[in-house]
Amino acid sequence: MEDILHALSFVLIAGAAFMVVILAEAAYLRRQGKTDAYNLRESIANISTGFIYKMVDGVVVAVFITQFYDEVVKLGLQYKPANKWVGIALLFFITDFLFFVAHFVMHKVRYAWCSHITHHSSVRYNFSTALRQNFLFDLSGLVFVWVLPLALIGFDKMSVVMAIELNLFYQFFIHTETIKRLPAWYEAIFNTPSHHRVHHGRNPAQIDTNFGGVLIIWDRLFGTFVDEKDAGKIVYGISHRQPTTLNPLRLNLDEWVAMWGDVWRHKDLRILWKHPDWVEEQYPGARTLPGRSAAA
């Protein structure tokens, strides 16, 4: 339990740092005359969804790590690196690659998209957008795509928790329009605000691109990388079922309701594992929820 408390302490410290950065960016942009870059109600919604997500995540991590992780480790490779620094490097690269895989799945499978659409539903792009997360990510089982392989390899459980939290900590800082381009060598290796702005775009050239967490090399290797200069004008939000609410609970739950509504309406279970936009393509003119536009 002491180890879990240490991990939760890190989350609280990171959260405090995030608030300072958000306030600083909002003040800077206001001084620059960009008064629409932040919207108070939207920022509150973003922070609220982030808070709910981390509270649920903390409970899931505590239960999973303490109750199951050690048992899963026994079933796997039980890898123990002879060199500590080699072990740290492997944990970093494998953790980041698994995030890339999980992130790819979240964009390609509607069931998984239900836990990720919240993050993409903002039409503004600032540091508070990073906190706009869905608390059902862990409860949907998607977290296992990230955690179970690390357990089966044999990495220490608290090292895994810290590797994941540090990975997410880095990703907070790529949610901004304030930073333009970083040095070319850095842009070639790491995920940056420039790369991630493309990922959050809803225009055709921007959709399903730049899935990396800390590193952008995975996208370069697997053909999903698009440079910002080649992406065209970036418009934020989502291409179908753009939310019109800032209610934190509805931002978390509406897409789940819409998905199961589509399954019931069309009597088609394929909706669960097809691309999130597949239902609009397969059933043209279908409206997912009353009062929602089919397209953003």
Side-chain angles (χ1 to χ4, degrees), residues 46-62:
N46 294 347
I47 293 167
S48 298
T49 57
F51 177 79
I52 296 169
Y53 161 70
K54 288 314 295 184
M55 291 304 99
V56 173
D57 181 65
V59 172
V60 171
V61 167

Side-chain angles (χ1 to χ4, degrees), residues 92-100 189 211-225:
F92 165 73
F93 280 103
I94 296 173
T95 298
D96 199 62
F97 175 69
L98 289 172
F99 172 82
F100 170 84
I189 299 171
F211 297 105
V214 175
L215 301 173
I216 202 66
I217 58 173
W218 313 120
D219 290 283
R220 295 184 185 277
L221 285 171
F222 293 103
T224 52
F225 175 73

Side-chain angles (χ1 to χ4, degrees), residues 38-52:
Y38 271 85
N39 173 277
L40 180 59
R41 289 185 63 239
E42 184 178 70
S43 298
I44 291 172
N46 294 347
I47 293 167
S48 298
T49 57
F51 177 79
I52 296 169

Side-chain angles (χ1 to χ4, degrees), residues 259-273 278-279 282-283:
M259 179 187 70
W260 289 113
D262 284 341
V263 170
W264 176 261
R265 183 177 302 108
H266 303 298
K267 304 298 187 289
D268 194 341
L269 285 175
R270 292 177 297 172
I271 290 168
L272 298 177
W273 60 81
W278 182 80
V279 68
Q282 184 73 8
Y283 303 100

Side-chain angles (χ1 to χ4, degrees), residues 51-219:
F51 177 79
I52 296 169
Y53 161 70
K54 288 314 295 184
M55 291 304 99
V56 173
D57 181 65
V59 172
V60 171
V61 167
V63 172
F64 175 73
I65 294 296
T66 56
Q67 299 298 322
F68 300 108
Y69 193 93
D70 287 337
E71 296 303 316
V72 174
V73 167
K74 296 174 185 177
L75 303 175
L77 301 176
Q78 300 183 42
Y79 167 72
K80 301 297 180 187
N83 183 289
K84 181 180 74 170
W85 296 109
V86 170
I88 291 173
L90 282 173
L91 178 58
F92 165 73
F93 280 103
I94 296 173
T95 298
D96 199 62
F97 175 69
L98 289 172
F99 172 82
F100 170 84
V101 173
H103 198 184
F104 182 87
V105 171
M106 284 189 281
H107 278 257
K108 297 296 187 179
V109 176
R110 187 164 179 195
Y111 174 84
W113 175 243
C114 287
S115 292
H116 192 55
I117 187 175
T118 307
H119 183 59
H120 278 264
S121 61
S122 175
V123 295
R124 292 176 177 82
Y125 191 73
N126 53 53
F127 283 127
S128 77
T129 308
L131 305 183
R132 192 172 176 130
Q133 303 289 344
N134 194 305
F135 73 88
L136 291 172
F137 171 75
D138 288 337
L139 298 178
S140 69
L142 290 170
V143 68
F144 296 118
V145 177
W146 204 358
V147 175
L148 276 180
L150 295 169
L152 290 171
I153 292 170
F155 289 112
D156 170 71
K157 60 184 177 182
M158 291 317 302
S159 296
V160 167
V161 171
M162 291 306 299
I164 290 174
E165 292 300 338
L166 287 170
N167 191 286
L168 295 174
F169 182 79
Y170 176 90
Q171 290 185 53
F172 171 85
F173 294 97
I174 59 177
H175 290 83
T176 181
E177 291 185 305
T178 305
I179 300 170
K180 301 308 179 186
R181 299 280 289 197
L182 294 170
W185 69 267
Y186 196 92
E187 296 275 351
I189 299 171
F190 294 98
N191 201 3
T192 66
S194 175
H195 300 328
H196 206 59
R197 284 193 289 270
V198 178
H199 176 74
H200 272 259
R202 71 183 188 190
N203 286 334
Q206 300 146 19
I207 293 172
D208 292 348
T209 62
N210 300 359
F211 297 105
V214 175
L215 301 173
I216 202 66
I217 58 173
W218 313 120
D219 290 283

